[in-house]
Amino acid sequence: MTETPNPNIVDADTLTGEMRPIRRVVIALGSNLGERFATLQGALGALADTPEVWITGVSPVYESAPVDCPPEAKDFLNAVVLADTTLPAHRLIDRALAIEDAFERERSDVKNAPRTLDVDLIVVGDRRSDTDELRLPHPRAHERAFVLKPWHDLEADAVLLDHGPIADLLDRVDASGLKLRDDLVLETV
């Protein structure tokens, strides 16, 4: 695994000399179709193989009841990944979508339809965005126990931009549908 860079320095692009800040990224992974755990492991591997992305933490895996999904939807496996990156947010979301496509994510008009893989950017440093392509911080992360609990496991003192400490947010959401799956451990290579 690549060594984590010092988050207090700025990285320079070796070709252009452009200076780019290193930002902390929180990424949520989820899957409720197919080989869910293998898909999460593959997505983690793809993130770790992304140039200019350094994985710094991976949460335990949780199983969660589907939220706002069609009635036939099966339970999700969820995890949160912490990383440092020098990639701009728009390049990071392009990478997230490419990883979803690689794991045969099918998009439909059905809201929250079952899916092989979700790769959601929760925060990218202190970036804010409200475009069709990218919303930062993630607009529903503060309501989702399946994001907050795994993130809290990694960084109990973390703060979700515009919403406050995740420990406080976690106290306000219903986490009864979450089940820790300590028999499933995601590994970085």
Side-chain angles (χ1 to χ4, degrees):
M1 185 162 102
T2 306
E3 195 169 309
T4 303
N6 181 337
N8 299 313
I9 64 171
V10 175
D11 189 42
D13 185 287
T14 55
L15 293 177
T16 66
E18 172 189 4
M19 301 298 279
R20 294 180 292 183
I22 296 174
R23 294 186 178 98
R24 167 61 65 153
V25 181
V26 178
I27 302 168
L29 303 177
S31 175
N32 77 332
L33 280 181
E35 296 294 325
R36 301 174 303 160
F37 180 71
T39 298
L40 293 186
Q41 184 63 65
L44 177 60
L47 286 169
D49 286 344
T50 303
E52 299 184 59
V53 172
W54 300 274
I55 304 296
T56 61
V58 180
S59 77
V61 175
Y62 284 85
E63 193 157 23
S64 65
V67 176
D68 298 330
C69 292
E72 72 277 2
K74 295 179 177 158
D75 287 352
F76 278 84
L77 287 183
N78 300 98
V80 164
V81 177
L82 300 181
D84 290 331
T85 188
T86 54
L87 290 177
H90 68 276
R91 289 209 20 231
L92 203 53
I93 192 64
D94 288 346
R95 178 64 175 160
L97 293 172
I99 292 169
E100 287 180 349
D101 289 346
F103 285 89
E104 300 177 358
R105 162 81 186 257
E106 291 184 19
R107 301 186 189 289
S108 75
D109 293 336
V110 177
K111 182 181 177 188
N112 296 323
R115 62 212 84 137
T116 55
L117 182 62
D118 257 343
V119 179
D120 290 333
L121 300 183
I122 305 303
V123 294
V124 178
D126 60 357
R127 286 283 322 252
R128 288 179 174 84
S129 178
D130 191 17
T131 66
D132 289 341
E133 297 80 30
L134 179 62
R135 294 207 167 121
L136 289 172
H138 190 284
R140 290 176 307 284
H142 68 285
E143 304 169 341
R144 305 293 200 213
F146 59 82
V147 171
L148 296 171
K149 178 60 177 141
W151 186 8
H152 184 267
D153 289 349
L154 292 171
E155 291 185 313
D157 61 345
V159 174
L160 178 58
L161 191 64
D162 298 334
H163 293 284
I166 61 171
D168 294 348
L169 298 172
L170 188 54
D171 287 341
R172 288 183 262 193
V173 297
D174 178 9
S176 62
L178 276 184
K179 176 185 169 191
L180 177 63
R181 291 292 305 267
D182 52 9
D183 59 318
L184 301 175
V185 177
L186 292 169
E187 296 183 17
T188 55
V189 265

